[in-house]
Amino acid sequence: MPINGVVFDLDNTLYAYAPCNRAGQVAVVKFLALHLGLPASQVRQAWEASRQTVHKRLAKQAASHARLFYAQGAIELLLGRTDIRLTLQADEVFWSAYLRTMRLRPGMRALLQQIKRWGWRLGIASDLTTVWQMKKLQRLGLAKMFDDIVTSEEAGCEKPNPRMIRLLLRKMQRRSHQVVLIGDSHARDRQVAVACGIPFLQLASNADVSAVRRALTAKQN
Ligand SMILES: [Mg+2]
């Protein structure tokens, strides 16, 4: 049965995640330190404590990554109460810096265009809330590139739970043996591919896309 679809992971697969997350954190810590009149080190500690608490409480759910919750919790730790206006502003500051730092992985646009020329269907399966994953794709200039998207928020669970991929395959109108899954993570992407019986191609953080391109071309012929 020929391959005629690709399921892509988003974060750290289409672009490098670490510099974006770092830029977001630096910006939000600076913003809160300025507005609260506190040392940056104290704000950074509160942000990290909040992040860990949220991550633990909401493990395996999309909202465990919600910077809105990290900001809310950090502000609550620092002020002893919720500040809605500041929380919303902090979330905005984080994501503005994050999105500004995003760069599409070199060679990725050409690879995606090649896949489309083959007439294959392109899907995204990604762990986070839908609003930010859509904004990321838009920022990368890929708003019209993908045919289908499912996030962990929409699926109600994260990778490697296979439910997210099953929902995406239904949208893509593809069976597992008709697609390839491409992602950066062993624990999430490879595991979910194995669970669903889908061939997996890893795109490690600093790897260029040519090896993946060759592997897909071989499947196309
Ligand atoms: Mg990833």
Side-chain angles (χ1 to χ4, degrees):
M1 182 68 76
I3 297 288
N4 59 7
V6 182
V7 173
F8 270 91
D9 169 50
L10 199 173
D11 296 312
N12 216 32
T13 295
L14 299 181
Y15 73 98
Y17 168 82
C20 304
N21 189 51
R22 200 158 43 237
Q25 274 191 38
V26 167
V28 78
V29 165
K30 194 172 160 191
F31 169 80
L32 287 175
L34 194 71
H35 276 259
L36 298 171
L38 293 169
S41 57
Q42 193 181 342
V43 174
R44 199 174 303 112
Q45 269 179 16
W47 177 272
E48 181 54 24
S50 172
R51 187 190 71 78
Q52 286 182 20
T53 303
V54 170
H55 221 266
K56 205 168 160 188
R57 189 194 306 133
L58 299 173
K60 298 187 171 64
Q61 296 175 48
S64 68
H65 312 287
R67 274 43 172 212
L68 186 72
F69 287 161
Y70 300 177
Q72 182 186 345
I75 291 163
E76 286 168 353
L77 283 171
L78 294 165
L79 287 183
R81 63 175 184 84
T82 305
D83 186 321
I84 291 173
R85 189 155 170 257
L86 196 58
T87 299
L88 290 171
Q89 285 174 337
D91 188 52
E92 192 58 44
V93 165
F94 177 93
W95 284 112
S96 297
Y98 188 109
L99 292 174
R100 263 200 314 276
T101 310
M102 289 182 82
R103 300 285 179 274
L104 192 62
R105 194 192 270 260
M108 184 55 77
R109 186 176 304 280
L111 175 66
L112 295 169
Q113 285 167 342
Q114 178 66 67
I115 294 168
K116 280 187 96 77
R117 277 198 296 275
W118 291 336
W120 293 10
R121 205 154 168 118
L122 271 175
I124 289 269
S126 180
D127 286 340
L128 216 149
T129 46
T130 298
V131 61
W132 291 112
Q133 299 314 72
M134 286 188 172
K135 285 187 183 186
K136 287 176 189 173
L137 288 166
Q138 188 164 265
R139 158 70 189 161
L140 291 171
L142 301 176
K144 293 190 173 170
M145 187 68 83
F146 290 89
D147 302 294
D148 311 281
I149 175 171
V150 171
T151 67
S152 53
E153 182 182 35
E154 184 181 355
C157 57
E158 296 202 305
K159 293 175 270 185
N161 188 318
R163 257 170 39 211
M164 190 201 295
I165 303 298
R166 292 197 192 116
L167 177 56
L168 180 63
L169 290 180
R170 279 203 295 280
K171 289 191 188 190
M172 292 173 74
Q173 300 175 292
R174 295 290 185 270
R175 309 283 294 273
S176 54
H177 58 268
Q178 295 177 296
V179 302
V180 173
L181 194 150
I182 299 174
D184 67 298
S185 165
H186 252 268
R188 291 169 179 271
D189 303 315
R190 183 187 287 277
Q191 288 303 316
V192 80
V194 167
C196 295
I198 297 173
F200 175 70
L201 293 174
Q202 189 173 26
L203 200 46
S205 290
N206 293 318
D208 74 54
V209 301
S210 55
V212 162
R213 190 184 181 123
R214 279 195 299 277
L216 289 179
T217 304
K219 289 179 189 297
Q220 197 270 334
N221 291 326

Short mmCIF file of all heavy atoms in Angstrom, two decimals, residues 8 12-14 105 108 111 182-185 200-205 207-209 212:
data_model
loop_
_atom_site.label_atom_id
_atom_site.label_comp_id
_atom_site.label_asym_id
_atom_site.label_seq_id
_atom_site.Cartn_x
_atom_site.Cartn_y
_atom_site.Cartn_z
N PHE A 8 3.00 15.35 10.99
CA PHE A 8 4.13 16.09 11.55
C PHE A 8 3.86 16.47 13.00
O PHE A 8 2.75 16.88 13.34
CB PHE A 8 4.36 17.40 10.78
CG PHE A 8 5.29 17.29 9.62
CD1 PHE A 8 4.81 16.99 8.35
CD2 PHE A 8 6.66 17.47 9.78
CE1 PHE A 8 5.67 16.88 7.26
CE2 PHE A 8 7.52 17.36 8.71
CZ PHE A 8 7.03 17.07 7.44
N ASN A 12 9.71 21.89 17.95
CA ASN A 12 11.07 21.35 17.81
C ASN A 12 11.23 20.45 16.59
O ASN A 12 12.27 19.83 16.42
CB ASN A 12 11.50 20.61 19.09
CG ASN A 12 12.96 20.81 19.38
OD1 ASN A 12 13.52 21.87 19.07
ND2 ASN A 12 13.60 19.81 19.93
N THR A 13 10.20 20.35 15.78
CA THR A 13 10.29 19.59 14.53
C THR A 13 10.26 20.56 13.35
O THR A 13 11.11 20.52 12.48
CB THR A 13 9.14 18.57 14.43
OG1 THR A 13 9.31 17.59 15.47
CG2 THR A 13 9.12 17.88 13.08
N LEU A 14 9.29 21.47 13.35
CA LEU A 14 9.22 22.47 12.27
C LEU A 14 10.15 23.64 12.57
O LEU A 14 10.57 24.36 11.66
CB LEU A 14 7.78 22.98 12.11
CG LEU A 14 6.72 21.93 11.73
CD1 LEU A 14 5.36 22.60 11.57
CD2 LEU A 14 7.11 21.18 10.46
N ARG A 105 12.60 25.70 10.28
CA ARG A 105 13.84 24.92 10.10
C ARG A 105 14.29 24.99 8.65
O ARG A 105 13.45 24.85 7.73
CB ARG A 105 13.54 23.46 10.47
CG ARG A 105 14.74 22.58 10.67
CD ARG A 105 14.26 21.15 10.73
NE ARG A 105 13.92 20.70 12.07
CZ ARG A 105 14.74 19.95 12.83
NH1 ARG A 105 15.93 19.62 12.39
NH2 ARG A 105 14.36 19.54 14.00
N MET A 108 12.75 23.19 5.43
CA MET A 108 11.43 22.63 5.77
C MET A 108 10.35 23.04 4.75
O MET A 108 9.53 22.22 4.35
CB MET A 108 11.05 23.07 7.18
CG MET A 108 9.75 22.47 7.69
SD MET A 108 9.67 20.67 7.65
CE MET A 108 10.66 20.23 9.08
N LEU A 111 10.63 21.01 1.69
CA LEU A 111 10.19 19.63 1.95
C LEU A 111 8.66 19.54 1.95
O LEU A 111 8.08 18.65 1.30
CB LEU A 111 10.74 19.16 3.31
CG LEU A 111 10.26 17.78 3.78
CD1 LEU A 111 10.77 16.67 2.87
CD2 LEU A 111 10.67 17.52 5.22
N ILE A 182 6.57 12.13 11.49
CA ILE A 182 7.87 12.80 11.64
C ILE A 182 7.86 13.66 12.89
O ILE A 182 6.97 14.51 13.05
CB ILE A 182 8.18 13.67 10.40
CG1 ILE A 182 8.25 12.79 9.15
CG2 ILE A 182 9.49 14.44 10.59
CD1 ILE A 182 8.41 13.58 7.85
N GLY A 183 8.84 13.44 13.77
CA GLY A 183 8.90 14.23 15.00
C GLY A 183 10.28 14.19 15.61
O GLY A 183 11.14 13.45 15.17
N ASP A 184 10.47 15.02 16.65
CA ASP A 184 11.79 15.11 17.27
C ASP A 184 11.93 14.17 18.46
O ASP A 184 13.04 13.83 18.86
CB ASP A 184 12.07 16.55 17.74
CG ASP A 184 11.15 16.95 18.88
OD1 ASP A 184 9.92 16.97 18.66
OD2 ASP A 184 11.64 17.22 19.99
N SER A 185 10.80 13.77 19.06
CA SER A 185 10.86 13.13 20.37
C SER A 185 10.69 11.61 20.32
O SER A 185 9.71 11.10 19.74
CB SER A 185 9.77 13.73 21.27
OG SER A 185 9.57 12.92 22.40
N PHE A 200 8.09 5.67 11.59
CA PHE A 200 8.53 6.91 12.23
C PHE A 200 9.85 7.38 11.64
O PHE A 200 10.76 6.60 11.43
CB PHE A 200 8.70 6.67 13.74
CG PHE A 200 9.27 7.84 14.49
CD1 PHE A 200 8.51 8.99 14.68
CD2 PHE A 200 10.56 7.81 15.01
CE1 PHE A 200 9.02 10.08 15.37
CE2 PHE A 200 11.08 8.89 15.70
CZ PHE A 200 10.31 10.03 15.88
N LEU A 201 9.94 8.66 11.38
CA LEU A 201 11.20 9.27 10.96
C LEU A 201 11.54 10.35 11.99
O LEU A 201 10.74 11.26 12.22
CB LEU A 201 11.07 9.91 9.58
CG LEU A 201 10.86 8.98 8.39
CD1 LEU A 201 10.62 9.79 7.12
CD2 LEU A 201 12.07 8.07 8.20
N GLN A 202 12.72 10.24 12.58
CA GLN A 202 13.09 11.24 13.59
C GLN A 202 13.83 12.41 12.95
O GLN A 202 14.68 12.23 12.08
CB GLN A 202 13.98 10.62 14.67
CG GLN A 202 14.17 11.61 15.82
CD GLN A 202 14.89 11.00 17.00
OE1 GLN A 202 15.66 10.05 16.86
NE2 GLN A 202 14.65 11.54 18.18
N LEU A 203 13.44 13.59 13.39
CA LEU A 203 14.11 14.81 12.96
C LEU A 203 14.68 15.44 14.23
O LEU A 203 14.00 16.19 14.93
CB LEU A 203 13.11 15.73 12.28
CG LEU A 203 13.62 16.81 11.35
CD1 LEU A 203 14.69 16.32 10.40
CD2 LEU A 203 12.48 17.41 10.56
N ALA A 204 15.92 15.08 14.56
CA ALA A 204 16.53 15.56 15.79
C ALA A 204 16.77 17.07 15.72
O ALA A 204 16.81 17.64 14.62
CB ALA A 204 17.84 14.83 16.05
N SER A 205 16.96 17.67 16.89
CA SER A 205 17.02 19.13 17.02
C SER A 205 17.88 19.82 15.96
O SER A 205 17.44 20.77 15.33
CB SER A 205 17.55 19.51 18.39
OG SER A 205 16.59 19.21 19.34
N ALA A 207 19.44 18.36 13.31
CA ALA A 207 19.56 17.65 12.02
C ALA A 207 18.97 18.50 10.90
O ALA A 207 18.02 19.24 11.11
CB ALA A 207 18.84 16.32 12.11
N ASP A 208 19.55 18.38 9.70
CA ASP A 208 18.87 19.05 8.59
C ASP A 208 17.87 18.07 7.98
O ASP A 208 17.86 16.88 8.30
CB ASP A 208 19.88 19.64 7.58
CG ASP A 208 20.55 18.59 6.74
OD1 ASP A 208 19.83 17.80 6.11
OD2 ASP A 208 21.80 18.55 6.72
N VAL A 209 17.03 18.59 7.12
CA VAL A 209 15.88 17.79 6.69
C VAL A 209 16.21 16.84 5.53
O VAL A 209 15.35 16.08 5.11
CB VAL A 209 14.70 18.71 6.27
CG1 VAL A 209 14.26 19.59 7.42
CG2 VAL A 209 15.05 19.52 5.05
N VAL A 212 15.45 13.07 5.98
CA VAL A 212 14.00 12.82 5.98
C VAL A 212 13.46 12.93 4.55
O VAL A 212 12.65 12.12 4.11
CB VAL A 212 13.29 13.82 6.92
CG1 VAL A 212 11.80 13.90 6.63
CG2 VAL A 212 13.52 13.42 8.37
#
